Amino acid sequence: MSSAQRSAERPLYRDNARLPVRRAGIDTYRQPVLYLHRDCLVSCAEGFAALTRVKVECGDRDVVALLNIVTGDWLSKDEAALSDAAWRVLAPKAGAIASFSHAEPPESASALRAKVFGKRLGEAEFESILRDALASRLSDIELAAFVTTCAGDRMDLDESVALTRAMVSVGERIDWGTGPVLDKHCVGGLPGNRTTPIVVPIVAALGHRIPKTSSRAITSPAGTADVMATMTEVDLEIDVLRTVVDREGGCMASGGNMHLSPADDILIQIERPLDLDSDGQMVASILSKKVAAGCTHVLIDIPVGSTAKVRTMAAAEAIARRLAFVGEAVGLRVGVLMSDGKQPVGRGIGPALEAHDVLEVLRNSPQAPGDLRERALDVAGAVLELLPGIPRGSGRIQAAGVLASGAALRKFMAICAAQGGFREPGTAHFVEPVIARADGRVGCINNRQLARIAKLAGAPLNATAGVVCSLREGDLVQRGMPLFHVHAGSRGELDYALDYANTHLDALSLRSEPS
């Protein structure tokens, strides 16, 4: 075949490295991905290989995408396909043609490489990395390298301050004007510890501002936003959130739509599959969102237990020191409450199940879980005592009075009404117990195992799924009685969770009673 014939067979847009684009229908989460056939002329001409960073331009938009090579026949050699993440950025019209070229190295590449080799980074260097991450100019592989180099003891206190400030600078920031703005946060790892929907209305009912934004669950069976979503609207824009707080003094919303420290959301999603818990990044994550939300006084709850996120008091004290140092540097008054993390709080583990516990406490029901009530009052008291002029111990007394009087419930309902209306949380279609196989007493409760069972049952995606456990350490158990109940939205999910639970009965380990 002559060169003229070969040229005639090529698409007209080949010489300019251009191809029509279509949607691949593949969810790659936040990573934009480009798909080209292995015989694609553009790919061959440009020297693209798998995992090449390719700049894709379509109309007046562009994105840097990671190339995946297609060896099957679902994509022709004369077209390109885009992952959902890339498609959202480019938003191409029907029949659109895109151009492709090698992407320039991201501006932050030198800073990232320097951190890999142990150099300390400053605020400008962290900000460069985060801006490139937000613009999808860094691949997940590069971000994983960054997260790893910041883990363990490889980030000092000054770097935590620099990273916190950088996280704030690349996102939105709310200004509430003068006066104290309160908040609280739990570092997590303790199933059912859903104090926020009780603390916020208590504090707001006392006339203080507490604009609480929370995340959806990342690795747990429920986050505060998931729990609140079973009772009211949580996906609020910033202007709506302002209206709610101006009207009621507090809110309980998801931070996902507000772009408060958005770079942190990206880093969290990278940390999750790596299962890395870095004190430096965790502190920057927590405090950057508090600064961005306009808070001035923040209470951090650190549950400590052998199967909690923070396992030793020494580890908790190290986190507390870092929180205090970074908080002071970024203008926050930070208080720390170290709490018992040996076992779950409340009975429910899962969005709707935890919501039922919350409502029982707010409604002063005789059946309300006492440990959740007491924990919420401890946290609310500690939040109030961050304010000037509130002596130690009096905050909890104020909180208990507001809860007992019904003022906290009224404020909770008012906040829900302002956010879009209140609804009762639902219940699961399928519920079955996990039965004790012997007599004994509960020796210890494995928080991680119970959380795992709740997730296998469908939580948090199925809001009514999860686990209900009323037993606590030291409780007497007789053979044949329920250890806990599994709630699920389908028979298949229920069976899946029960199968795991019955082969991992160490979720509640029993010790034999002396004869």
Side-chain angles (χ1 to χ4, degrees):
M1 181 183 297
S2 68
S3 59
Q5 288 174 317
R6 285 195 297 270
S7 296
E9 289 187 354
R10 294 171 183 168
L12 294 177
Y13 38 77
R14 181 265 180 209
D15 292 333
N16 294 321
R18 302 175 71 225
L19 291 171
V21 290
R22 67 179 177 90
R23 192 168 190 164
I26 298 175
D27 182 2
T28 54
Y29 182 56
R30 56 160 300 276
Q31 176 74 68
V33 175
L34 165 68
Y35 301 91
L36 295 176
H37 194 274
R38 65 180 174 186
D39 296 326
C40 173
L41 294 176
V42 166
S43 181
C44 295
E46 294 291 331
F48 294 153
L51 300 187
T52 296
R53 296 171 65 253
V54 179
K55 183 178 182 180
V56 185
E57 298 176 88
C58 190
D60 60 354
R61 297 189 180 192
D62 65 81
V63 68
V64 174
L66 207 63
L67 176 62
N68 281 195
I69 298 296
V70 176
T71 59
D73 58 4
W74 67 269
L75 184 68
S76 81
K77 65 180 182 179
D78 296 329
E79 63 178 346
L82 300 171
S83 70
D84 290 350
W87 190 268
R88 284 193 298 270
V89 174
L90 294 175
K93 297 178 180 178
I97 293 176
S99 61
F100 308 87
S101 60
H102 287 272
E104 294 293 326
E107 292 183 6
S108 63
S110 60
L112 197 157
R113 195 158 36 247
K115 186 60 182 170
V116 168
F117 285 99
K119 180 185 174 183
R120 293 173 66 255
L121 300 185
E123 183 179 344
E125 292 162 310
F126 279 124
E127 184 175 330
S128 175
I129 291 171
L130 298 179
R131 289 195 185 280
D132 278 343
L134 286 169
S136 298
R137 290 190 288 266
L138 290 174
S139 68
D140 286 353
I141 295 172
E142 291 165 315
L143 288 175
F146 173 69
V147 166
T148 303
T149 59
C150 293
D153 59 357
R154 290 181 287 273
M155 179 177 286
D156 63 23
L157 292 174
D158 289 333
E159 284 187 297
S160 280
V161 173
L163 179 58
T164 303
R165 288 174 172 159
M167 284 182 169
V168 174
S169 69
V170 299
E172 301 288 339
R173 188 167 180 176
I174 303 175
D175 183 0
W176 298 102
T178 59
V181 179
L182 304 176
D183 204 345
K184 56 83 61 179
H185 179 85
C186 178
V187 302
L190 193 59
N193 189 24
R194 201 56 55 205
T195 59
T196 293
I198 304 169
V199 172
V200 168
I202 288 175
V203 173
L206 287 165
H208 306 295
R209 286 179 296 181
I210 182 164
K212 177 62 179 167
T213 60
S214 305
S215 61
R216 299 276 185 171
I218 300 170
T219 59
S220 67
T224 296
D226 300 298
V227 173
M228 287 304 304
T230 69
M231 296 180 282
T232 191
E233 300 304 315
V234 297
D235 296 317
L236 309 181
E237 302 295 337
I238 287 182
D239 59 339
V240 177
L241 178 138
R242 283 184 177 279
T243 300
V244 174
V245 175
D246 288 344
R247 175 174 154 184
E248 299 299 339
C251 68
M252 292 165 283
S254 168
N257 287 348
M258 299 178 195
H259 305 290
L260 304 175
S261 190
D264 177 55
D265 297 329
I266 292 174
L267 296 183
I268 286 173
Q269 295 295 339
I270 297 296
E271 289 173 325
R272 178 172 58 178
L274 294 175
D275 195 24
L276 286 178
D277 286 327
S278 163
D279 288 358
Q281 282 190 334
M282 180 176 71
V283 168
S285 168
I286 294 169
L287 297 188
S288 67
K289 287 190 172 178
K290 301 312 174 187
V291 172
C295 301
T296 60
H297 297 64
V298 181
L299 189 282
I300 309 296
D301 177 17
I302 306 179
V304 183
S306 60
T307 59
K309 187 174 185 177
V310 180
R311 302 188 185 186
T312 67
M313 190 57 68
E317 289 169 351
I319 294 170
R321 287 192 295 270
R322 192 178 290 262
L323 284 163
F325 184 92
V326 177
E328 182 178 4
V330 298
L332 288 175
R333 180 174 180 185
V334 177
V336 175
L337 177 67
M338 296 184 191
S339 54
D340 183 358
K342 294 194 299 291
Q343 53 192 341
V345 178
R347 292 185 289 262
I349 303 172
L353 297 171
E354 294 177 31
H356 287 297
D357 284 352
V358 164
L359 289 173
E360 286 188 345
V361 171
L362 287 169
R363 288 166 173 164
N364 291 301
S365 167
Q367 288 76 43
D371 57 350
L372 178 59
R373 180 183 186 277
E374 296 306 307
R375 180 74 64 111
L377 291 177
D378 287 344
V379 173
V383 170
L384 294 169
E385 289 167 17
L386 292 173
L387 294 167
I390 307 293
R392 181 177 291 274
S394 65
R396 196 183 195 281
I397 293 171
Q398 290 183 46
V402 169
L403 181 61
S405 70
L409 175 62
R410 291 191 293 275
K411 178 57 72 175
F412 177 86
M413 291 299 179
I415 291 173
C416 288
Q419 290 187 196
F422 172 78
R423 54 183 175 271
E424 291 286 340
T427 57
H429 294 296
F430 297 89
V431 181
E432 280 194 23
V434 172
I435 302 299
R437 297 174 182 172
D439 297 342
R441 287 189 183 273
V442 178
C444 67
I445 298 178
N446 189 319
N447 291 312
R448 293 171 182 254
Q449 291 282 30
L450 279 183
R452 172 73 171 160
I453 294 165
K455 289 190 288 184
L456 291 175
L461 293 180
N462 185 322
T464 62
V467 167
V468 171
C469 179
S470 301
L471 292 174
R472 292 295 180 263
E473 289 186 7
D475 286 353
L476 185 64
V477 174
Q478 294 181 325
R479 181 181 180 183
M481 71 174 285
L483 293 172
F484 51 87
H485 288 78
V486 178
H487 294 234
S490 70
R491 184 76 231 181
E493 288 172 314
L494 179 69
D495 290 343
Y496 193 48
L498 286 173
D499 182 64
Y500 180 89
N502 284 308
T503 56
H504 293 80
L505 286 177
D506 56 336
L508 271 76
S509 61
L510 302 181
R511 61 172 184 262
S512 300
E513 286 288 276
S515 55

